[in-house]
Amino acid sequence: MMTEKKNNTALKILTGVLAVALLALGIYTIKFYNEEKENKAILTKEKEVIEDELNDLIVKYDEAIEENQIMDQNLVDARNRIERLLDSVEDNEANLVLISRYRREIGNLKAEKERLFRVVDSLNRQNQMMSQTLDSTNVVLEERTRISDSLQTTNQDLSNKVDRAAQLKITNLRGEGVIVRNSGKLVENDRTRRIDQVRTCFTITANDLAGPGERDMYVQVYNPENELVGDEIVVEHEGGAMVYSAASKVYYENNELDVCLLANTNEDKLLEGTYKVYVYANATLLGTASFNLR
């Protein structure tokens, strides 16, 4: 009888312990479910914010593409990258790792937008100045037309020559990785683990109407992640500051001039993929090209 009483007591105690454990487990499960639900709601909201930011970037690029022709292809390429990222965001369920990656990529895209739009603004200002110059020239030509058809022809020829001489032109633009030998000799190489510098070469074309003299030449080199590769040389121009990978002064004598600029490399920024190079005379964009490293 005593043994049976002890067993009942032990059973009651065990039942009580199990009840408390089940209650605690239920409370923890409810708390975990609520926290998981809250976290998922936060991540979903963050995903919606990212989608809105990407759509806003696409709208801004569409407006810029409609208004500008010179940088049209560069703007289209950038917009296409944003559209691909937006598709990826929409197709994937929100989680902390993806949200962090998307935030990082949006930061890179915004930095690229600022750089491209600065270039576009610079080109627009130049076009506006050229338009004002042409308007002034047209007034003179219209006045001289009333005097003589021959003077009109002469002035029109002069106006065309001024336009052609307004800026330098380049050909044979290319970028490549190079190894620097102990002798100082440069050897082309396309392996990121081996190259010491990025070389950008081009030819300034002959132009009898361009004034001879010293020219400041600059180059920007961007890796596949749109990071600037080089010495990050900051130059103040009339339209604002620009950052370049390398710079050099050349003396132009109206004849063809071959030019190469060397940009130092940082191992952390040497990635496999497609690189872009932009060549400037002062703040004027003369041309762009791409090359690959593996």
Side-chain angles (χ1 to χ4, degrees):
M1 187 71 174
M2 184 65 68
T3 303
E4 182 178 351
K5 187 176 182 180
K6 288 182 179 179
N7 289 339
N8 288 336
T9 301
L11 182 60
K12 289 180 180 179
I13 294 172
L14 179 60
T15 302
V17 171
L18 289 175
V20 171
L22 287 173
L23 178 61
L25 178 61
I27 293 173
Y28 175 80
T29 301
I30 293 172
K31 182 180 179 182
F32 178 81
Y33 172 79
N34 289 334
E35 289 179 350
E36 184 72 11
K37 186 176 181 181
E38 182 179 350
N39 289 337
K40 186 174 182 179
I42 292 173
L43 290 173
T44 301
K45 182 64 177 177
E46 180 67 12
K47 178 184 175 183
E48 292 173 356
V49 171
I50 288 174
E51 290 175 359
D52 289 341
E53 289 184 19
L54 290 172
N55 279 313
D56 185 60
L57 281 173
I58 290 172
V59 170
K60 286 183 171 60
Y61 270 101
D62 285 337
E63 292 172 351
I65 291 169
E66 184 176 350
E67 295 173 359
N68 299 278
Q69 298 300 321
I70 297 177
M71 289 289 292
D72 185 62
Q73 190 55 50
N74 293 278
L75 295 172
V76 169
D77 290 344
R79 184 194 61 187
N80 290 341
R81 286 195 295 276
I82 297 173
E83 289 178 339
R84 288 194 294 271
L85 180 58
L86 178 59
D87 290 340
S88 176
V89 174
E90 292 174 342
D91 292 341
N92 288 291
E93 185 176 351
N95 63 64
L96 188 58
V97 174
L98 281 177
I99 292 298
S100 299
R101 179 170 70 84
Y102 291 146
R103 271 291 167 208
R104 190 164 56 251
E105 293 181 13
I106 285 178
N108 292 334
L109 290 170
K110 286 183 176 180
E112 182 186 24
K113 179 183 80 68
E114 292 300 321
R115 178 181 61 79
L116 284 175
F117 279 33
R118 280 199 303 271
V119 174
V120 169
D121 287 342
S122 175
L123 292 172
N124 285 339
R125 285 193 296 271
Q126 293 173 41
N127 289 337
Q128 186 177 5
M129 291 177 62
M130 290 180 66
S131 178
Q132 292 172 351
T133 301
L134 288 173
D135 288 342
S136 177
T137 302
N138 287 337
V139 170
V140 174
L141 290 174
E142 289 173 2
E143 180 65 25
R144 294 189 178 184
T145 298
R146 291 191 291 268
I147 299 173
S148 171
D149 288 341
S150 62
L151 285 177
Q152 179 190 28
T153 302
T154 301
N155 284 333
Q156 186 63 55
D157 290 341
L158 289 173
S159 177
N160 291 337
K161 289 179 180 179
V162 170
D163 290 342
R164 288 195 299 271
Q167 68 177 37
L168 299 177
K169 292 181 175 59
I170 62 173
T171 60
N172 304 323
L173 174 59
R174 71 184 188 280
E176 60 193 8
V178 294
I179 300 173
V180 182
R181 299 297 190 196
N182 292 333
S183 63
K185 181 180 179 181
L186 302 179
V187 180
E188 181 182 354
N189 192 280
D190 64 353
R191 293 185 179 274
T192 56
R193 289 178 295 179
R194 298 195 60 192
I195 69 171
D196 301 310
Q197 294 177 319
V198 173
R199 178 169 62 186
T200 302
C201 294
F202 53 91
T203 300
I204 302 176
T205 59
N207 190 339
D208 292 336
L209 299 176
E214 195 173 69
R215 299 288 203 282
D216 289 316
M217 306 299 298
Y218 303 101
V219 65
Q220 291 173 327
V221 180
Y222 287 91
N223 70 11
E225 295 294 332
N226 292 311
E227 298 174 314
L228 187 72
V229 177
D231 292 330
E232 297 188 358
I233 303 168
V234 180
V235 180
E236 290 287 344
H237 298 293
E238 184 177 346
M242 293 186 69
V243 184
Y244 302 103
S245 303
S248 179
K249 290 184 180 293
V250 300
Y251 194 86
Y252 180 66
E253 297 181 303
N254 305 105
N255 299 317
E256 278 195 356
L257 180 63
D258 293 328
V259 180
C260 286
L261 280 74
L262 293 171
N264 292 318
T265 59
N266 183 317
E267 185 176 349
D268 295 337
K269 293 185 178 181
L270 287 179
L271 310 174
E272 294 184 4
T274 301
Y275 288 66
K276 282 194 173 182
V277 294
Y278 298 83
V279 174
Y280 299 82
N282 290 321
T284 302
L285 179 66
L286 301 185
T288 180
S290 61
F291 65 98
N292 294 310
L293 293 179
R294 58 192 175 96

PDB file of all heavy atoms in Angstrom, residues 146-170:
ATOM      1  N   ARG A 146      22.958  88.962 -96.787  1.00  0.00           N
ATOM      2  CA  ARG A 146      22.326  90.090 -97.472  1.00  0.00           C
ATOM      3  C   ARG A 146      23.335  90.907 -98.264  1.00  0.00           C
ATOM      4  O   ARG A 146      22.984  91.643 -99.169  1.00  0.00           O
ATOM      5  CB  ARG A 146      21.619  90.994 -96.446  1.00  0.00           C
ATOM      6  CG  ARG A 146      20.397  90.336 -95.826  1.00  0.00           C
ATOM      7  CD  ARG A 146      19.575  91.336 -95.038  1.00  0.00           C
ATOM      8  NE  ARG A 146      20.269  91.779 -93.827  1.00  0.00           N
ATOM      9  CZ  ARG A 146      20.122  91.193 -92.636  1.00  0.00           C
ATOM     10  NH1 ARG A 146      19.316  90.143 -92.512  1.00  0.00           N
ATOM     11  NH2 ARG A 146      20.766  91.640 -91.590  1.00  0.00           N
ATOM     12  N   ILE A 147      24.604  90.797 -97.922  1.00  0.00           N
ATOM     13  CA  ILE A 147      25.643  91.549 -98.645  1.00  0.00           C
ATOM     14  C   ILE A 147      26.130  90.769 -99.852  1.00  0.00           C
ATOM     15  O   ILE A 147      26.259  91.294-100.943  1.00  0.00           O
ATOM     16  CB  ILE A 147      26.833  91.871 -97.708  1.00  0.00           C
ATOM     17  CG1 ILE A 147      26.360  92.735 -96.538  1.00  0.00           C
ATOM     18  CG2 ILE A 147      27.958  92.575 -98.464  1.00  0.00           C
ATOM     19  CD1 ILE A 147      27.421  92.954 -95.481  1.00  0.00           C
ATOM     20  N   SER A 148      26.401  89.465 -99.615  1.00  0.00           N
ATOM     21  CA  SER A 148      26.975  88.704-100.728  1.00  0.00           C
ATOM     22  C   SER A 148      26.834  87.211-100.503  1.00  0.00           C
ATOM     23  O   SER A 148      27.095  86.701 -99.406  1.00  0.00           O
ATOM     24  CB  SER A 148      28.463  89.047-100.878  1.00  0.00           C
ATOM     25  OG  SER A 148      29.073  88.184-101.804  1.00  0.00           O
ATOM     26  N   ASP A 149      26.413  86.498-101.545  1.00  0.00           N
ATOM     27  CA  ASP A 149      26.321  85.045-101.477  1.00  0.00           C
ATOM     28  C   ASP A 149      27.699  84.418-101.310  1.00  0.00           C
ATOM     29  O   ASP A 149      27.851  83.373-100.654  1.00  0.00           O
ATOM     30  CB  ASP A 149      25.664  84.480-102.745  1.00  0.00           C
ATOM     31  CG  ASP A 149      24.180  84.796-102.778  1.00  0.00           C
ATOM     32  OD1 ASP A 149      23.623  85.098-101.699  1.00  0.00           O
ATOM     33  OD2 ASP A 149      23.585  84.747-103.861  1.00  0.00           O
ATOM     34  N   SER A 150      28.679  85.021-101.895  1.00  0.00           N
ATOM     35  CA  SER A 150      30.036  84.481-101.796  1.00  0.00           C
ATOM     36  C   SER A 150      30.562  84.576-100.365  1.00  0.00           C
ATOM     37  O   SER A 150      31.249  83.661 -99.885  1.00  0.00           O
ATOM     38  CB  SER A 150      30.981  85.221-102.757  1.00  0.00           C
ATOM     39  OG  SER A 150      31.068  86.585-102.409  1.00  0.00           O
ATOM     40  N   LEU A 151      30.227  85.696 -99.661  1.00  0.00           N
ATOM     41  CA  LEU A 151      30.657  85.825 -98.273  1.00  0.00           C
ATOM     42  C   LEU A 151      29.948  84.796 -97.386  1.00  0.00           C
ATOM     43  O   LEU A 151      30.533  84.270 -96.441  1.00  0.00           O
ATOM     44  CB  LEU A 151      30.363  87.239 -97.758  1.00  0.00           C
ATOM     45  CG  LEU A 151      31.291  88.346 -98.263  1.00  0.00           C
ATOM     46  CD1 LEU A 151      30.831  89.690 -97.725  1.00  0.00           C
ATOM     47  CD2 LEU A 151      32.730  88.069 -97.840  1.00  0.00           C
ATOM     48  N   GLN A 152      28.702  84.522 -97.710  1.00  0.00           N
ATOM     49  CA  GLN A 152      27.974  83.502 -96.958  1.00  0.00           C
ATOM     50  C   GLN A 152      28.671  82.146 -97.069  1.00  0.00           C
ATOM     51  O   GLN A 152      28.843  81.442 -96.074  1.00  0.00           O
ATOM     52  CB  GLN A 152      26.543  83.375 -97.480  1.00  0.00           C
ATOM     53  CG  GLN A 152      25.739  82.315 -96.748  1.00  0.00           C
ATOM     54  CD  GLN A 152      24.422  82.021 -97.415  1.00  0.00           C
ATOM     55  OE1 GLN A 152      24.299  82.189 -98.633  1.00  0.00           O
ATOM     56  NE2 GLN A 152      23.451  81.601 -96.659  1.00  0.00           N
ATOM     57  N   THR A 153      29.081  81.796 -98.293  1.00  0.00           N
ATOM     58  CA  THR A 153      29.768  80.529 -98.503  1.00  0.00           C
ATOM     59  C   THR A 153      31.076  80.493 -97.731  1.00  0.00           C
ATOM     60  O   THR A 153      31.417  79.489 -97.089  1.00  0.00           O
ATOM     61  CB  THR A 153      30.044  80.328-100.005  1.00  0.00           C
ATOM     62  OG1 THR A 153      28.811  80.369-100.722  1.00  0.00           O
ATOM     63  CG2 THR A 153      30.747  78.997-100.249  1.00  0.00           C
ATOM     64  N   THR A 154      31.821  81.589 -97.773  1.00  0.00           N
ATOM     65  CA  THR A 154      33.103  81.659 -97.067  1.00  0.00           C
ATOM     66  C   THR A 154      32.908  81.512 -95.562  1.00  0.00           C
ATOM     67  O   THR A 154      33.623  80.751 -94.891  1.00  0.00           O
ATOM     68  CB  THR A 154      33.809  82.988 -97.360  1.00  0.00           C
ATOM     69  OG1 THR A 154      34.018  83.121 -98.759  1.00  0.00           O
ATOM     70  CG2 THR A 154      35.139  83.060 -96.621  1.00  0.00           C
ATOM     71  N   ASN A 155      31.930  82.231 -95.017  1.00  0.00           N
ATOM     72  CA  ASN A 155      31.692  82.161 -93.579  1.00  0.00           C
ATOM     73  C   ASN A 155      31.204  80.783 -93.136  1.00  0.00           C
ATOM     74  O   ASN A 155      31.531  80.316 -92.045  1.00  0.00           O
ATOM     75  CB  ASN A 155      30.658  83.217 -93.168  1.00  0.00           C
ATOM     76  CG  ASN A 155      31.273  84.611 -93.128  1.00  0.00           C
ATOM     77  OD1 ASN A 155      32.471  84.757 -92.920  1.00  0.00           O
ATOM     78  ND2 ASN A 155      30.462  85.628 -93.339  1.00  0.00           N
ATOM     79  N   GLN A 156      30.388  80.143 -93.996  1.00  0.00           N
ATOM     80  CA  GLN A 156      29.928  78.806 -93.676  1.00  0.00           C
ATOM     81  C   GLN A 156      31.090  77.822 -93.613  1.00  0.00           C
ATOM     82  O   GLN A 156      31.160  76.962 -92.714  1.00  0.00           O
ATOM     83  CB  GLN A 156      28.901  78.328 -94.719  1.00  0.00           C
ATOM     84  CG  GLN A 156      28.248  76.995 -94.385  1.00  0.00           C
ATOM     85  CD  GLN A 156      27.452  77.075 -93.099  1.00  0.00           C
ATOM     86  OE1 GLN A 156      26.567  77.922 -92.967  1.00  0.00           O
ATOM     87  NE2 GLN A 156      27.765  76.210 -92.153  1.00  0.00           N
ATOM     88  N   ASP A 157      32.034  77.968 -94.566  1.00  0.00           N
ATOM     89  CA  ASP A 157      33.225  77.114 -94.546  1.00  0.00           C
ATOM     90  C   ASP A 157      34.033  77.337 -93.279  1.00  0.00           C
ATOM     91  O   ASP A 157      34.514  76.387 -92.661  1.00  0.00           O
ATOM     92  CB  ASP A 157      34.091  77.397 -95.779  1.00  0.00           C
ATOM     93  CG  ASP A 157      33.432  76.906 -97.064  1.00  0.00           C
ATOM     94  OD1 ASP A 157      32.519  76.062 -96.969  1.00  0.00           O
ATOM     95  OD2 ASP A 157      33.828  77.381 -98.151  1.00  0.00           O
ATOM     96  N   LEU A 158      34.180  78.607 -92.897  1.00  0.00           N
ATOM     97  CA  LEU A 158      34.936  78.914 -91.681  1.00  0.00           C
ATOM     98  C   LEU A 158      34.237  78.352 -90.442  1.00  0.00           C
ATOM     99  O   LEU A 158      34.893  77.836 -89.524  1.00  0.00           O
ATOM    100  CB  LEU A 158      35.111  80.431 -91.537  1.00  0.00           C
ATOM    101  CG  LEU A 158      36.070  81.102 -92.526  1.00  0.00           C
ATOM    102  CD1 LEU A 158      36.017  82.610 -92.371  1.00  0.00           C
ATOM    103  CD2 LEU A 158      37.494  80.595 -92.314  1.00  0.00           C
ATOM    104  N   SER A 159      32.907  78.451 -90.425  1.00  0.00           N
ATOM    105  CA  SER A 159      32.155  77.926 -89.294  1.00  0.00           C
ATOM    106  C   SER A 159      32.344  76.417 -89.150  1.00  0.00           C
ATOM    107  O   SER A 159      32.513  75.895 -88.046  1.00  0.00           O
ATOM    108  CB  SER A 159      30.666  78.245 -89.464  1.00  0.00           C
ATOM    109  OG  SER A 159      29.905  77.699 -88.427  1.00  0.00           O
ATOM    110  N   ASN A 160      32.321  75.728 -90.293  1.00  0.00           N
ATOM    111  CA  ASN A 160      32.532  74.274 -90.262  1.00  0.00           C
ATOM    112  C   ASN A 160      33.927  73.925 -89.758  1.00  0.00           C
ATOM    113  O   ASN A 160      34.114  72.951 -89.030  1.00  0.00           O
ATOM    114  CB  ASN A 160      32.319  73.692 -91.660  1.00  0.00           C
ATOM    115  CG  ASN A 160      30.869  73.763 -92.096  1.00  0.00           C
ATOM    116  OD1 ASN A 160      29.970  73.843 -91.259  1.00  0.00           O
ATOM    117  ND2 ASN A 160      30.628  73.758 -93.402  1.00  0.00           N
ATOM    118  N   LYS A 161      34.917  74.713 -90.139  1.00  0.00           N
ATOM    119  CA  LYS A 161      36.285  74.472 -89.693  1.00  0.00           C
ATOM    120  C   LYS A 161      36.406  74.690 -88.184  1.00  0.00           C
ATOM    121  O   LYS A 161      37.105  73.944 -87.485  1.00  0.00           O
ATOM    122  CB  LYS A 161      37.257  75.388 -90.433  1.00  0.00           C
ATOM    123  CG  LYS A 161      37.445  75.014 -91.899  1.00  0.00           C
ATOM    124  CD  LYS A 161      38.407  75.966 -92.596  1.00  0.00           C
ATOM    125  CE  LYS A 161      38.580  75.581 -94.072  1.00  0.00           C
ATOM    126  NZ  LYS A 161      39.503  76.503 -94.772  1.00  0.00           N
ATOM    127  N   VAL A 162      35.732  75.721 -87.677  1.00  0.00           N
ATOM    128  CA  VAL A 162      35.760  75.968 -86.238  1.00  0.00           C
ATOM    129  C   VAL A 162      35.154  74.790 -85.484  1.00  0.00           C
ATOM    130  O   VAL A 162      35.659  74.353 -84.444  1.00  0.00           O
ATOM    131  CB  VAL A 162      35.005  77.278 -85.904  1.00  0.00           C
ATOM    132  CG1 VAL A 162      34.806  77.421 -84.400  1.00  0.00           C
ATOM    133  CG2 VAL A 162      35.789  78.471 -86.432  1.00  0.00           C
ATOM    134  N   ASP A 163      34.057  74.251 -86.008  1.00  0.00           N
ATOM    135  CA  ASP A 163      33.420  73.104 -85.377  1.00  0.00           C
ATOM    136  C   ASP A 163      34.351  71.896 -85.353  1.00  0.00           C
ATOM    137  O   ASP A 163      34.449  71.190 -84.344  1.00  0.00           O
ATOM    138  CB  ASP A 163      32.130  72.738 -86.119  1.00  0.00           C
ATOM    139  CG  ASP A 163      31.055  73.791 -85.914  1.00  0.00           C
ATOM    140  OD1 ASP A 163      31.183  74.582 -84.963  1.00  0.00           O
ATOM    141  OD2 ASP A 163      30.114  73.832 -86.718  1.00  0.00           O
ATOM    142  N   ARG A 164      35.014  71.641 -86.481  1.00  0.00           N
ATOM    143  CA  ARG A 164      35.918  70.482 -86.548  1.00  0.00           C
ATOM    144  C   ARG A 164      37.104  70.645 -85.607  1.00  0.00           C
ATOM    145  O   ARG A 164      37.662  69.671 -85.123  1.00  0.00           O
ATOM    146  CB  ARG A 164      36.415  70.290 -87.989  1.00  0.00           C
ATOM    147  CG  ARG A 164      35.341  69.768 -88.940  1.00  0.00           C
ATOM    148  CD  ARG A 164      35.976  69.253 -90.219  1.00  0.00           C
ATOM    149  NE  ARG A 164      36.703  70.282 -90.930  1.00  0.00           N
ATOM    150  CZ  ARG A 164      36.164  71.085 -91.834  1.00  0.00           C
ATOM    151  NH1 ARG A 164      34.863  70.984 -92.121  1.00  0.00           N
ATOM    152  NH2 ARG A 164      36.879  72.000 -92.453  1.00  0.00           N
ATOM    153  N   ALA A 165      37.513  71.907 -85.371  1.00  0.00           N
ATOM    154  CA  ALA A 165      38.678  72.149 -84.524  1.00  0.00           C
ATOM    155  C   ALA A 165      38.320  72.258 -83.050  1.00  0.00           C
ATOM    156  O   ALA A 165      39.201  72.439 -82.215  1.00  0.00           O
ATOM    157  CB  ALA A 165      39.382  73.433 -84.968  1.00  0.00           C
ATOM    158  N   ALA A 166      37.041  72.147 -82.718  1.00  0.00           N
ATOM    159  CA  ALA A 166      36.608  72.386 -81.342  1.00  0.00           C
ATOM    160  C   ALA A 166      37.212  71.384 -80.363  1.00  0.00           C
ATOM    161  O   ALA A 166      37.469  71.723 -79.219  1.00  0.00           O
ATOM    162  CB  ALA A 166      35.087  72.345 -81.265  1.00  0.00           C
ATOM    163  N   GLN A 167      37.416  70.159 -80.763  1.00  0.00           N
ATOM    164  CA  GLN A 167      38.005  69.189 -79.850  1.00  0.00           C
ATOM    165  C   GLN A 167      38.842  68.160 -80.622  1.00  0.00           C
ATOM    166  O   GLN A 167      38.644  67.945 -81.814  1.00  0.00           O
ATOM    167  CB  GLN A 167      36.926  68.472 -79.054  1.00  0.00           C
ATOM    168  CG  GLN A 167      36.043  67.546 -79.875  1.00  0.00           C
ATOM    169  CD  GLN A 167      35.030  66.821 -78.988  1.00  0.00           C
ATOM    170  OE1 GLN A 167      34.516  67.383 -78.035  1.00  0.00           O
ATOM    171  NE2 GLN A 167      34.766  65.569 -79.306  1.00  0.00           N
ATOM    172  N   LEU A 168      39.777  67.554 -79.886  1.00  0.00           N
ATOM    173  CA  LEU A 168      40.602  66.510 -80.478  1.00  0.00           C
ATOM    174  C   LEU A 168      39.781  65.254 -80.704  1.00  0.00           C
ATOM    175  O   LEU A 168      38.751  65.037 -80.067  1.00  0.00           O
ATOM    176  CB  LEU A 168      41.784  66.189 -79.564  1.00  0.00           C
ATOM    177  CG  LEU A 168      42.761  67.323 -79.260  1.00  0.00           C
ATOM    178  CD1 LEU A 168      43.820  66.833 -78.287  1.00  0.00           C
ATOM    179  CD2 LEU A 168      43.406  67.854 -80.538  1.00  0.00           C
ATOM    180  N   LYS A 169      40.269  64.408 -81.604  1.00  0.00           N
ATOM    181  CA  LYS A 169      39.640  63.110 -81.849  1.00  0.00           C
ATOM    182  C   LYS A 169      40.697  62.020 -81.737  1.00  0.00           C
ATOM    183  O   LYS A 169      41.879  62.261 -82.016  1.00  0.00           O
ATOM    184  CB  LYS A 169      38.978  63.072 -83.238  1.00  0.00           C
ATOM    185  CG  LYS A 169      37.776  63.994 -83.365  1.00  0.00           C
ATOM    186  CD  LYS A 169      37.164  63.892 -84.758  1.00  0.00           C
ATOM    187  CE  LYS A 169      35.882  64.732 -84.851  1.00  0.00           C
ATOM    188  NZ  LYS A 169      36.121  66.148 -84.564  1.00  0.00           N
ATOM    189  N   ILE A 170      40.262  60.826 -81.307  1.00  0.00           N
ATOM    190  CA  ILE A 170      41.212  59.723 -81.137  1.00  0.00           C
ATOM    191  C   ILE A 170      40.713  58.482 -81.887  1.00  0.00           C
ATOM    192  O   ILE A 170      39.519  58.329 -82.150  1.00  0.00           O
ATOM    193  CB  ILE A 170      41.428  59.369 -79.656  1.00  0.00           C
ATOM    194  CG1 ILE A 170      40.117  58.885 -79.018  1.00  0.00           C
ATOM    195  CG2 ILE A 170      41.997  60.548 -78.890  1.00  0.00           C
ATOM    196  CD1 ILE A 170      40.289  58.347 -77.595  1.00  0.00           C
TER     197      ILE A 170
END
